Amino acid sequence: MIPATPIDESSASRVPQSPGQKAHRVGSDLPFYAGLIVLGGAYLFLLLAMLIADLFYTSPGHLLAALGKPAIQYSIGLSLISCSITALLSLWVAVPIGYLLARHRFRGHSLVDAILDIPIVLPPLVVGLSLLILFQFWPFRLAADWVVYQIPAVILAQFMVACAFATRTLRTTFDQIDPRCEQVALTLGCSRAQAFASVVLPEARRGIITAATLAWARSLGEFGPLLIFAGATRMKTEVLSTTVFLELSVGDLEAAVAVSMIMIVAAVVVLMIARIWGSRDLTL
Amino acid sequence: MICVKDLSVCIGDFAFKGVQLQVPEGGYGVLMGKTGSGKTTLLESIAGLKPIRQGRIELGGRTVTHMRPAERGIGYVPQDGALFATMTVYQNLAFALVVRRTRRQNVERRIDEIAGLLRISDLLQRKPAGLSGGERQRVALGRALSFEPAVLLLDEPLSALDDDTRYQMYDVIRRVREHTRVTTLHVTHNRHEASEMADVLFQMTDGGVSEVRGGPEAISNRIENLGG
């Protein structure tokens, strides 16, 4: 009689296993996250270091001296007014374009969509030069004396670029709003305009705030088109970005940095407005 | 009455043609069919939300084929309710009446009536974001009924609800029927829902609609034999 062989667990574990059953060791996730943090962190560090360097380079004295100059006071005033007008104009144009592109498919839809991106990809100097050339042609030529190298040129040059960013933001906003609510409003007795005003616009509120702040911030930083189309004339077409350029060109680095600090503070305020009251899903 | 005659629709790659459908005055029609068979497109065509190629649509004795959605006098409840997120429940319910410039006292009286019928009186000051699925659908139903439409169109209104809430909604819809006698077309792919509700059953298959005739027993038998 063959004695019963006790089950040997160690021998059972040596039974050949299929590849799927083999113990599979996975490497640590640490190097992956370390890579992400190092690469991302380097950029973040550079960004903050840049701003902190500005802060240390200037002083309250420089800042007050800069703020006391009539030319800089004029530049701050014109910047605030022109950026606000540009942001409002951008909304007036971007809301209808964004809505039409999001809700309707028409012949040439993709072409219109691509054309609207031109100011985003075009070199800023080319935008200014193109505006300058446009005002050589009829009927724009008729208004050239009141526009070119005048304050309207500042607003138009800012608007051409800022509006493209506002349009892109609002297109995404309207894309994200469920058209079903609008359809229900139509069945409840609304015309298209009523449904848009009473249902779509209130839902787009955060996107509209984001688009407005984005347009405002873009306008504040605009320089290339302004230099070509509006010029950089003191106490006339001078905005904050041109002030930095003019102060640098006369060698007053302290004043240039002080004005830059004003622009940085304005940008931070705009960023906070967009983050608090704007849409978190949209880029700024 | 809802009467659809020889209706053809073509949207992109999807099309149906020659669709006939009739729900008698005060009746409750249920339209069944597989996913993608065109049930929602048919309902949206009746509501005026989808362009039609040819055919005729009559609602409550009026030919509405080329009318805009606002002029058709329909109450429409989509699958997710599609409540207006920025408005309170009261404002959602009052929406159609405000658009029609109804006097304020009449709006308040009508909303009291609707809220009582649907048992949502305690929700009136809340925003849709905090409502449960069943509450949302009751508000959507109330909003659709607020202006006393001739016809009610329900597009899978109970599909996202759990079983208990769905059974409660059957009672709500029955109560609405008894109270309003509104002619209704209800799209669903749920057999139990169809057997609970249908006076008239329609089945949508391969771009056409067939009516199940022969009374409640025939309808129950057909529903039993349907897949899904």
Side-chain angles (χ1 to χ4, degrees), chain B residues 97 106-114 145-148:
Chain B
L97 302 172
N106 294 342
V107 172
E108 286 172 359
R109 190 162 41 78
R110 179 63 182 154
I111 290 177
D112 272 353
E113 194 183 335
I114 286 281
L145 291 166
S146 62
F147 62 104
E148 300 180 62

Side-chain angles (χ1 to χ4, degrees), chain A residues 44-61:
Chain A
L44 202 65
F45 170 76
L46 200 60
L47 204 61
L48 290 174
M50 202 173 74
L51 298 179
I52 291 166
D54 280 345
L55 194 65
F56 277 100
Y57 195 84
T58 190
S59 67

